[in-house]
Amino acid sequence: MLGCLTYVTWLPSAAQAYEDRATLGAAVGYAGLADADGLPSHAVHFALSAGGGIGDAWSIQGLLSHSLFFDESPLQLSMAGLETVYDLDNVRFVPLLGAGIDGIRSVQSREARGDFALHALLGFDFVINRRWFVGADASGFWLATNAYSRLAPFIGTVALRASVRFDLR
C-alpha cells in the first residue's frame, strides 16, 4: 500500500479538489472482525470526519467512529484516527486511496481496553456539485497491539457517506 501511495505522489495533478477547502462528513455502514474468537463479528458502523486540503490532490482528516457489535455479550469499538487521502482525479467519480493511524477503545461486559491500529482506505466520491458529494469506502485496520489484545488482528469497515466542503478563502 505504501508503494502505491508513493507512486501516486509522482502523478501530475492540476486539480484543486482539496486545496484551500475544509470537509465535514458522516458515514454509516458495516464493521466486521476477522477471526473473532469468542467475540461478536458483525457490527453497525457510524463515523464522522473533518479535514482539509494540504495540496491540490491531498487531504488530511480526523476521524471518529463507533461500531456496535450485537451478540449475547455486545462489543463496542470506538476509534479516533488521523488519515491522509489522495484524490486520484477531479471528475464526477473520484477514486480515493488513503492510510492512517488510529486509537481504538473496546468495551465488552464493562471491561475496557485501548489499542492502536494502522489502516488503509480504498473508496470513491461522486461529486454532486462543488459543495456536496457522496461516496463509499472500504477500510482495513491492522491492530498493531494485537499481541496483547483480545480483538482480532484485522477489522474491516464498509461505509456510505455524505460530505460537504467549505472554501477557506
Side-chain angles (χ1 to χ4, degrees):
M1 183 62 160
L2 185 57
C4 290
L5 288 175
T6 303
Y7 173 73
V8 296
T9 61
W10 294 98
L11 296 175
S13 175
Q16 291 191 3
Y18 292 107
E19 194 171 66
D20 299 323
R21 293 185 184 167
T23 304
L24 297 175
V28 64
Y30 168 84
L33 286 174
D35 297 326
D37 188 28
L39 294 174
S41 57
H42 305 287
V44 177
H45 177 75
F46 304 95
L48 298 173
S49 63
I54 55 173
D56 58 353
W58 287 95
S59 69
I60 192 164
Q61 56 188 5
L63 308 166
L64 294 174
S65 69
H66 192 76
S67 298
L68 301 169
F69 292 80
F70 298 103
D71 200 14
E72 294 170 5
S73 179
L75 170 67
Q76 297 183 48
L77 293 182
S78 298
M79 296 186 199
L82 189 64
E83 74 180 0
T84 184
V85 176
Y86 186 77
D87 169 4
L88 294 175
D89 201 352
N90 191 22
V91 293
R92 245 329 168 206
F93 286 97
V94 182
L96 306 168
L97 290 173
I101 186 167
D102 306 275
I104 299 175
R105 181 173 185 256
S106 58
V107 178
Q108 185 180 33
S109 301
R110 297 183 181 234
E111 181 182 324
R113 168 148 180 88
D115 290 291
F116 288 100
L118 301 174
H119 77 263
L121 166 105
L122 181 61
F124 73 90
D125 285 338
F126 175 75
V127 179
I128 297 170
N129 57 39
R130 284 184 48 89
R131 189 172 187 89
W132 292 95
F133 55 100
V134 294
D137 62 54
S139 295
F141 297 82
W142 172 70
L143 265 67
T145 53
N146 178 257
Y148 304 105
S149 177
R150 67 174 189 224
L151 294 176
F154 296 100
I155 301 169
T157 63
V158 178
L160 298 175
R161 70 179 177 289
S163 302
V164 61
R165 283 193 194 134
F166 302 95
D167 287 329
L168 296 177
R169 287 189 197 187

